[in-house]
């Protein structure tokens, strides 16, 4: 195989490959044999039709395309390895000249990863603001436990209070028109933890059971439904039921009920241990981030726009999926934020992600950090626990999605490089 390499702008190389006629014919014959297994030709069993008969029925070009599909991965693998290319995207075939019995000529373009010049990435000293546990964190954690064990009692002898849970009917109108999906019967709402329009839950306080009344609010200016954004609305309401939370007593019996604790002191010690571990985790995460950002500051790399464009496309797909999970559509997001604003933010994120990925790959190469089988085993066990799947099922799903496997590999490498940087630099927690 003869190869000619020509460097082009934007980290692209033009590759001209010439395959000897003997090899090209072998690829063609293998492709014809493979295709004959799946073609019905009158008078012949599958796989038994001569090549000339197969060509008459499906044409040489189809066989050539199959031959190229079979040959190109091997050809480009040799080109990439022999030239030690680090490709950024799949090769693009510009042209080919494939005449059976003659040398096969292929012209392709390969986009390469840009050269990364690392600055100092070891023996750095980085100052990081340590996380401070909020003064009320312990009490809030304790109160949350008590609240989770609270029981609800129906109240009939008073009006609603700000910490009640109510069951009510409502019907909303804006500018004289009924609001689509703006009504419900016997809807349960925790007045102290409402996600309704600001000012809505507050107006449900001090209301009696059975009385009909109106609530007046304004939709937020940034409301996702453009028609309602910033508009006044009136909701006709009626309280059907009032429930109050009755908190349990904080005693040893409660401690034994919520966990493997003998008494309240053990429960409190566990809460404090959790808060301390949370601080430790946050400090570790912030420290790793600060070290990496310090390393990236000293890096020089000229990233071609095409890499950022592809990463932006990936982020757009992820953003659409996230919107769908939250019950919104891409069209609604465009109406609320505008295409240019969304793409600007995603493009900035894409540029950061691409640069970070290049830096990680470069450090891994310099320090000979590689992924071992035990890394995959550990990561799959971690993912299996996270998603409630046994390892065999998880492996089966992953092997059917090469993109997922690549993502897991990159995640493992990111974690190993992050650990390396954390171990080889000094962090001052302030």
């Amino acid at each position: 195989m003869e190869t000619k390499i020509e460097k082009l702008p934007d980290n692209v190389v033009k590759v001209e490959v010439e395959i000897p006629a003997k090899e090209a014919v072998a690829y063609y014959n293998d492709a014809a044999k493979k295709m004959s297994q799946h073609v019905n030709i009158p008078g012949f069993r599958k796989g038994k039709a001569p090549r000339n008969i197969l060509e008459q029925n499906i044409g040489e070009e189809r066989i050539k395309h199959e031959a190229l599909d079979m040959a190109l991965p091997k050809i480009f693998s040799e080109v990439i390895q022999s030239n030690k290319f680090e490709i950024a995207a799949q090769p693009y075939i510009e042209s080919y000249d494939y005449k059976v019995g003659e040398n096969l000529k292929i012209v392709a373009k390969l986009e390469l990863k840009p050269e990364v010049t690392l600055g100092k990435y070891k023996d750095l000293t980085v100052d990081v603001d340590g996380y401070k546990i909020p003064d009320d964190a312990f009490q809030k954690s304790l109160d949350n436990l008590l609240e989770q064990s609270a029981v609800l009692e129906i109240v009939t002898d008073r009006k609603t209070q700000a910490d009640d849970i109510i069951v009510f009917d409502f019907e909303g109108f804006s500018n004289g028109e009924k609001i689509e999906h703006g009504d419900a019967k016997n809807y349960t709402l925790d007045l102290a933890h409402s996600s309704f329009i600001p000012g809505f839950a507050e107006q449900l306080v001090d209301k009696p059971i059975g009385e009909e009344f109106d609530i007046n609010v304004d939709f937020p200016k940034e409301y996702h439904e453009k028609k309602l954004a910033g508009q006044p609305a009136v909701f006709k309401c009626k309280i059907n039921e009032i429930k109050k939370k009755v908190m349990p007593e904080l005693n040893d019996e409660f401690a034994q009920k919520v966990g493997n604790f003998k008494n309240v002191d053990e429960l409190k010690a566990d809460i404090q241990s959790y808060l301390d571990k949370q601080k430790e985790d946050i400090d570790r995460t912030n420290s790793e981030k600060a070290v990496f950002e310090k390393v990236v500051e000293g890096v020089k790399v000229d990233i071609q726009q095409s890499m950022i464009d592809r990463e932006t496309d990936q982020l757009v797909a992820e953003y659409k999926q996230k919107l769908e999970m939250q019950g919104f559509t891409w069209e609604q997001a465009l109406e609320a934020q505008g295409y240019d604003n969304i793409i600007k933010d995603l493009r900035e994120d894409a540029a950061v992600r691409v640069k970070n990925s290049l830096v990680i790959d470069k450090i891994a190469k310099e320090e000979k950090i590689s992924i071992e089988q035990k890394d995959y085993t550990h990561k799959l066990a971690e993912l299996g626990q996270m998603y409630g799947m046994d390892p065999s099922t998880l492996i089966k799903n992953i092997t059917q999605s090469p993109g997922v496997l690549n993502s897991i590999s990159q995640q493992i490498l990111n974690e190993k490089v992050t650990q390396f940087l954390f171990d080889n630099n000094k962090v001052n927690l302030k």
Side-chain angles (χ1 to χ4, degrees), residues 389-429:
M389 298 173 65
D390 63 89
S392 59
T393 303
L394 188 61
I395 291 171
K396 182 180 178 182
N397 291 340
I398 289 172
T399 52
Q400 294 173 352
S401 304
V404 174
L405 184 59
N406 290 337
S407 177
I408 291 174
S409 299
Q410 188 64 50
Q411 188 176 350
I412 293 172
L413 190 64
N414 292 354
E415 291 171 358
K416 296 190 77 169
V417 170
T418 299
Q419 181 68 51
F420 172 84
L421 292 176
F422 184 80
D423 292 340
N424 286 274
N425 290 285
K426 182 181 178 181
V427 174
N428 285 331
L429 276 176

Side-chain angles (χ1 to χ4, degrees), residues 102-265:
E102 298 181 13
N103 289 354
L104 167 60
K105 298 176 182 178
I106 300 168
V107 179
K109 287 182 178 177
L110 275 66
E111 184 184 340
L112 307 182
K113 292 180 180 179
E115 184 63 33
V116 177
T117 303
L118 295 172
K120 187 176 181 181
Y121 63 91
K122 291 186 285 190
D123 301 321
L124 295 167
T125 299
V126 183
D127 292 331
V128 178
D129 289 332
Y131 173 73
K132 183 179 183 301
I133 300 174
D135 295 336
D136 61 349
F138 180 88
Q139 191 59 48
K140 278 188 175 180
S141 297
L142 191 57
D143 290 344
N144 285 339
L145 273 179
L146 290 166
E147 191 166 331
Q148 288 168 17
S149 298
V151 295
L152 298 178
E153 289 185 359
I154 295 176
V155 177
T156 58
D157 58 351
R158 64 166 172 80
K159 296 180 180 180
T160 57
Q161 295 178 358
D163 56 352
D164 283 337
I165 293 174
I166 65 168
V167 179
F168 74 119
D169 302 337
F170 64 90
E171 187 175 21
F173 299 86
S174 180
N175 296 321
E177 295 183 8
K178 185 176 178 180
I179 299 172
E180 187 177 1
H181 307 303
D183 63 298
K185 293 286 187 183
N186 290 319
Y187 188 91
T188 300
L189 181 66
D190 186 341
L191 295 180
H193 304 92
S194 169
S195 59
F196 275 34
I197 303 167
F200 188 100
E202 290 83 349
Q203 295 183 59
L204 290 168
V205 176
D206 200 32
K207 301 295 182 183
I209 295 174
E211 180 181 303
E212 295 184 357
F213 55 92
D214 291 348
I215 283 178
N216 293 284
V217 291
D218 290 330
F219 280 94
K221 291 182 179 179
E222 65 277 8
Y223 194 67
H224 65 270
E225 192 171 335
K226 197 171 182 180
K227 181 182 177 181
L228 296 173
Q231 296 299 309
V234 58
F235 286 84
K236 297 183 178 300
C237 304
K238 186 181 77 167
I239 307 293
N240 299 325
E241 195 172 63
I242 301 173
K243 300 176 183 178
K244 70 174 181 178
K245 292 179 183 177
V246 179
M247 308 292 279
E249 185 181 347
L250 179 59
N251 53 27
D252 292 348
E253 183 181 350
F254 171 76
Q256 293 161 10
K257 181 181 177 182
V258 297
N260 189 26
F261 309 111
K262 293 179 181 179
N263 49 48
V264 172
D265 288 341

Side-chain angles (χ1 to χ4, degrees), residues 15 58 75 79 155 177 186 190-191 200 210 234 296 311 321 324 334-335 348 359 365:
V15 181
I58 66 174
I75 292 170
V79 170
V155 177
E177 295 183 8
N186 290 319
D190 186 341
L191 295 180
F200 188 100
V234 58
V296 171
E311 190 66 28
Q321 187 178 30
E324 188 177 338
L334 291 179
E335 275 192 37
E348 290 173 359
V359 171
K365 185 178 179 181

Side-chain angles (χ1 to χ4, degrees), residues 297-397:
E297 282 179 13
V299 170
K300 294 180 181 179
V301 58
D302 186 14
I303 303 170
Q304 59 264 32
Q305 188 60 44
S306 54
M307 290 187 73
I308 296 174
D309 289 342
R310 283 192 297 273
E311 190 66 28
T312 301
D313 290 341
Q314 177 63 33
L315 287 177
V316 168
E318 292 175 9
Y319 184 61
K320 288 180 178 179
Q321 187 178 30
K322 184 179 178 180
L323 286 171
E324 188 177 338
M325 291 174 64
Q326 294 175 340
F328 299 106
T329 65
W330 172 245
E331 289 71 23
Q332 287 174 322
L334 291 179
E335 275 192 37
Q337 302 176 55
Y339 177 82
D340 290 342
N341 290 331
I342 294 175
I343 294 300
K344 179 178 178 292
D345 290 342
L346 294 180
R347 193 175 295 281
E348 290 173 359
D349 290 344
V352 171
R353 276 176 46 160
V354 171
K355 185 175 182 179
N356 289 352
S357 178
L358 291 169
V359 171
I360 286 169
D361 289 347
K362 181 68 173 180
I363 293 174
K365 185 178 179 181
E366 290 291 320
E367 297 296 333
K368 296 180 173 55
I369 300 172
S370 59
I371 302 175
E372 302 172 11
Q373 183 58 48
K374 63 181 181 180
D375 297 321
Y376 281 111
T377 302
H378 176 76
K379 177 57 68 174
L380 290 175
E382 183 182 293
L383 292 173
Q385 186 176 12
M386 185 184 301
Y387 294 109
M389 298 173 65
D390 63 89
S392 59
T393 303
L394 188 61
I395 291 171
K396 182 180 178 182
N397 291 340

Side-chain angles (χ1 to χ4, degrees), residues 285-304:
T285 299
N286 290 342
S287 298
E288 289 175 347
K289 182 181 177 183
V291 169
F292 188 76
E293 287 176 348
K294 186 72 173 178
V295 170
V296 171
E297 282 179 13
V299 170
K300 294 180 181 179
V301 58
D302 186 14
I303 303 170
Q304 59 264 32

